[in-house]
């Protein structure tokens, strides 16, 4: 039986998410037995040309070349899965979306005219149709395997989009917000990591972006209560999924219009 | 009962011996212990692990451990877990399936061997909660054999409440602070000039047998009276109360209330309330395959009506809005539970209030719904007097 082909591509990103595939040490042999790794530069320079059955795309679109490339990748891929906060939300580099890129390039580079970049960093889904988005910074190994095995079996992956609190309670962690007064983004963050940070006494940093039903405006007063002023709150929310959280905030109403407007105002 | 004891007085040595005896019987003894700034439930190697000298100060959305001078061991209120974490674990394998080389399929039930549990320090509200889950998971059409296996023969040692917390309202729900039935042993802690001791009552033959084997004193009237008085006093010190009406009817009349919008704006839909609730039983199944495609497993894991996927049918979730999800939780707990299982789904333990990050309070929401309904009925009455029409039925 012919094995389906797998290709791994990278746009603007740190490579950490595709490294997760290599991290699947125990399963890697079984995986290679079931799927032909046709294009995975981090693992091998041997490359087979497309089309591919399954493409994993890491990274965000930050240059005109990226935008062109992602269309080519889409055209060559039967099933396209974006992996990680960059590919699904624009990543940390999307902080530029709140700022003036020209000003940045003028300040940072001696020859800004050498720089060919877009004004924004955007998720792959803003450019082409995506079949599945796997969140996280970085993605979770178990979830990546679940997505691949589900693809092989022709079923829907079991990747819940509820909050980190579900996982946190299921694992028996004492809530750091309720019991310690530690700010935690768990209630608005997409599960997937297994609620690691609260298990070590720290608040969730929101690595997986907003959950399927995030009510961010309702959480803001709590973050304030636990010692984060407006500016600290904004910084807390402006990490790997900054743009996704900003959208969630502006989708909310009155209570925290402040958080939403501020997002637009600070440049 | 020959060779068995109905009531006795134990001291700390008695509690030590109790844990030893139950462990010697091959049981896994689970009880309260301090971890990460809270009293959690965990397997106890000895009675030393109990939270001696720890109390709790709780409010809606807030929980703090506070040291106690009197050294009391059962003076804390409900932590983030309940006994369902053991009887109805958060994730459990149900079966596995394998495809042989000839294409044949074999399916094997994969239930782990049930532990033989002894629960030490079960609050009266939690005894009631266990009885509620018994009805849900073993009493009707939908039997959970794993739950039944763990529940059968579990040895329950109740700890009556003498220090109710600010979020407790068991009196409203008729489930505390005294333990009446459903236990093997019940302890009431007494700390006074006569010492630190436990008034112990047996509630089953097994309980009486265990009690008679422990170092104990015969019950003295002083201890018995002190224990009784402390529990009675707790009755008047509940931190919260439900509105004194039929909550079942209240919910039925409130389906279109505007209060649901108010609470939905505050609710994070994070699911914490259902996870900590000792009666919430909902699960979903996950079907996992491995990379070979020849091995599959079915697991059951806790789910919650706050999960969008919980009501996902063809085309999307039925309860898409936070309003409808919060309403599902409250109406199920307080009203539709009666139709399904013949009782309230709430025992007044206060966990959902304490452990809700934003402190949404089930008693406050019920009171607000009650006020809204009362205002609506008054308004309708005034309209009737004005118009002289037939009295309208409240809308459903
Ligand atoms: S610690 Fe954070 S993730 Fe865990 S239950 Fe509390 S708020 Fe939710
Ligand atoms: S609804 Fe709240 S108070 Fe009632 S039993 Fe559940 S957790 Fe306890
Ligand atoms: S309140 Fe929600 S989670 Fe709890 S038993 Fe009812 S439907 Fe299930
Ligand atoms: S009521 Fe509280 S604990 Fe429950 S889902 Fe809403 S915010 Fe979370």
């Amino acid at each position: 039986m012919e094995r389906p082909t797998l290709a791994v591509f990278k746009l603007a990103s740190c490579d950490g998410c595709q490294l997760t595939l290599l991290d699947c040490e125990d399963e890697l042999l079984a995986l290679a037995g079931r799927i032909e790794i046709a294009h995975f530069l981090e693992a091998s320079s041997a490359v087979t040309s497309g089309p591919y059955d399954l493409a994993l795309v890491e990274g965000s679109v930050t240059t005109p070349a990226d935008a062109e490339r992602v269309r080519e990748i889409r055209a060559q891929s039967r099933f396209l899965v974006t992996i990680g906060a960059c590919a699904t939300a624009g990543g940390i580099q999307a902080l530029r979306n709140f700022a003036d890129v020209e000003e940045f390039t003028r300040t940072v580079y001696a020859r800004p005219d050498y720089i060919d970049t877009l004004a924004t960093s955007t998720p792959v889904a803003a450019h082409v149709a995506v079949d599945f988005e796997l969140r996280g910074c970085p993605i979770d190994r178990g979830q990546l395997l679940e997505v691949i095995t589900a693809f092989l079996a022709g079923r829907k992956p079991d990747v819940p989009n509820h909050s980190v609190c579900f996982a946190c309670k299921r694992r028996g962690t004492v809530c750091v917000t309720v019991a310690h007064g530690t700010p935690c983004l768990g209630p608005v963050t997409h599960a997937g990591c297994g609620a690691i940070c609260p298990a070590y006494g720290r608040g969730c940093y929101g690595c997986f972006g907003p959950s399927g039903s995030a009510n961010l405006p309702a959480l803001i007063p709590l973050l304030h209560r636990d010692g984060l002023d407006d500016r600290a709150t904004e910084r807390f929310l402006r990490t790997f999924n900054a743009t996704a959280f900003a959208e969630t905030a502006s989708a909310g109403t009155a209570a925290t219009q402040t958080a939403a407007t501020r997002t637009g105002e600070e440049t | 009962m020959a060779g068995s004891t109905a009531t006795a007085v134990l001291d700390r040595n008695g509690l030590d011996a109790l844990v030893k005896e139950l462990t010697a019987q091959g049981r896994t003894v689970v009880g309260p212990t301090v971890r990460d700034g809270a009293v959690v439930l965990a397997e106890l190697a000895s009675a030393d692990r109990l939270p001696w000298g720890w109390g709790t100060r709780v409010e809606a959305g807030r929980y703090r451990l506070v040291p106690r001078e009197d050294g009391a061991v059962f003076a804390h209120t409900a932590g983030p877990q309940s006994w369902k974490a053991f009887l109805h674990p958060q994730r459990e394998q149900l079966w596995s399936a394998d495809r042989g080389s000839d294409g044949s399929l074999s399916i094997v039930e994969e239930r782990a061997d049930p532990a033989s549990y002894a629960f030490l320090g079960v609050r009266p509200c939690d005894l009631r909660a266990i009885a509620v889950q018994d009805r849900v998971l073993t009493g009707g059409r939908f039997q959970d054999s794993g739950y039944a296996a763990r529940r059968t023969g579990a040895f329950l040692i109740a700890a009556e409440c003498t220090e109710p917390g600010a979020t407790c309202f068991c009196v409203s729900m008729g489930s505390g602070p005294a333990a009446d039935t459903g236990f093997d042993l019940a302890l009431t802690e007494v700390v006074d000039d006569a010492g630190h001791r436990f008034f112990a009552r047996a509630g089953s033959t097994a309980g009486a047998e265990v009690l008679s084997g422990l170092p104990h004193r015969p019950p003295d009237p002083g201890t018995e009276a002190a224990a009784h008085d402390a529990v009675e006093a707790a009755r008047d010190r509940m931190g919260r109360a439900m509105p004194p009406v039929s909550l079942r009817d209240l919910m039925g009349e409130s389906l279109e209330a505007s209060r649901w919008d108010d609470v939905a704006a505050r609710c994070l839909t994070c699911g914490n309330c259902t996870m900590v609730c000792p009666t919430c039983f909902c699960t979903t199944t996950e079907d996992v395959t491995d990379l070979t495609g020849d091995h599959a497993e079915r697991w059951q894991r806790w789910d919650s009506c706050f999960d969008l996927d919980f009501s996902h049918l063809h085309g999307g979730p039925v309860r898409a809005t936070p309003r409808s999800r919060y309403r599902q939780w409250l109406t199920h707990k307080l009203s539709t539970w009666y139709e399904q299982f013949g009782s309230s789904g709430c025992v007044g333990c206060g966990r959902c209030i304490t452990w809700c990050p934003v402190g949404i309070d089930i008693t406050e929401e019920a009171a607000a719904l009650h006020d809204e309904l009362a205002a609506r009925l008054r308004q309708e009455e005034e309209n009737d007097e004005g118009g002289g029409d037939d009295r309208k039925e409240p809308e459903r």
Side-chain angles (χ1 to χ4, degrees), chain A residues 117-263:
Chain A
T117 185
L118 294 169
T120 55
S121 166
T122 42
V124 171
H127 300 264
V128 297
V130 168
D131 297 299
F132 191 80
E133 295 190 298
L134 186 62
R135 320 269 219 95
C137 183
I139 53 169
D140 175 78
R141 208 177 66 92
Q143 287 201 331
L144 177 62
L145 280 169
E146 167 62 11
V147 168
I148 296 173
T149 41
F151 168 78
L152 290 171
R155 64 175 172 84
K156 187 173 167 259
D158 179 25
V159 176
N161 68 0
H162 52 223
S163 74
V164 171
C165 299
F166 278 67
C168 191
K169 278 290 176 297
R170 285 177 44 205
R171 117 182 233 169
T173 300
V174 174
C175 175
V176 301
T177 290
V178 171
H180 312 161
T182 302
C184 180
L185 291 180
V188 295
T189 299
H190 194 288
C193 62
I196 302 170
C197 290
Y200 291 92
R202 313 194 60 157
C204 166
Y205 293 95
C207 308
F208 280 59
S211 73
S213 160
N215 185 357
L216 186 52
L219 185 69
I220 303 285
L222 208 63
L223 300 177
H224 289 337
R225 181 201 70 185
D226 291 335
L228 301 188
D229 61 13
D230 280 350
R231 185 157 172 76
T233 300
E234 186 187 289
R235 294 180 68 119
F236 202 30
L237 290 166
R238 285 219 185 148
T239 57
F240 332 102
N241 292 281
T243 50
F245 277 121
E247 276 162 28
T248 318
S250 51
T253 44
T256 26
Q257 275 303 332
T258 47
T261 29
R262 194 176 323 277
T263 305

Side-chain angles (χ1 to χ4, degrees), chain A residues 1-14:
Chain A
M1 192 177 77
E2 221 169 88
R3 293 171 302 164
T5 50
L6 169 76
V8 183
F9 298 103
K10 167 191 159 62
L11 303 167
S13 58
C14 78

Side-chain angles (χ1 to χ4, degrees), chain B residues 235-267:
Chain B
R235 204 175 284 283
D236 299 325
R237 290 185 14 243
M238 288 293 128
R240 278 168 163 74
M242 276 292 187
V245 295
S246 160
L247 298 171
R248 187 182 181 182
D249 294 345
L250 172 60
M251 292 300 135
E253 305 284 1
S254 298
L255 294 180
E256 300 302 330
S258 62
R259 182 69 181 187
W260 302 119
D261 290 324
D262 183 279
V263 67
R266 288 174 280 132
C267 174

Side-chain angles (χ1 to χ4, degrees), chain B residues 274 277 279-282 303-306 310 319 328-330 332-333 337:
Chain B
T274 58
C277 179
T279 67
C280 274
F281 55 84
C282 286
D303 202 359
S304 159
C305 51
F306 281 96
F310 186 83
R319 298 191 197 105
Q328 161 63 20
W329 141 261
L330 206 68
H332 192 209
K333 292 276 100 168
W337 206 287

Side-chain angles (χ1 to χ4, degrees), chain A residues 27 31 34 149 152 155 158 160 162-163 165-166 169-170 172 174 178-181 187 212-213 215 218-219 222, chain B residues 35-36 40 63-64 90 264-270 272 275-276 286 289 291 301 304 307-308 325 354-355 357:
Chain A
E27 296 85 4
L31 185 65
R34 288 281 292 146
T149 41
L152 290 171
R155 64 175 172 84
D158 179 25
H162 52 223
S163 74
C165 299
F166 278 67
K169 278 290 176 297
R170 285 177 44 205
V174 174
V178 171
H180 312 161
S213 160
N215 185 357
L219 185 69
L222 208 63
Chain B
R35 166 172 57 83
D36 299 334
V40 300
Y63 178 104
R64 292 292 182 277
Q90 56 94 6
R266 288 174 280 132
C267 174
L268 300 161
T269 65
C270 64
N272 271 301
M275 300 279 151
V276 297
E286 48 183 83
T289 45
L291 282 164
R301 69 163 183 251
S304 159
D307 191 333
L308 265 180
R325 277 174 278 153
T354 305
W355 295 99

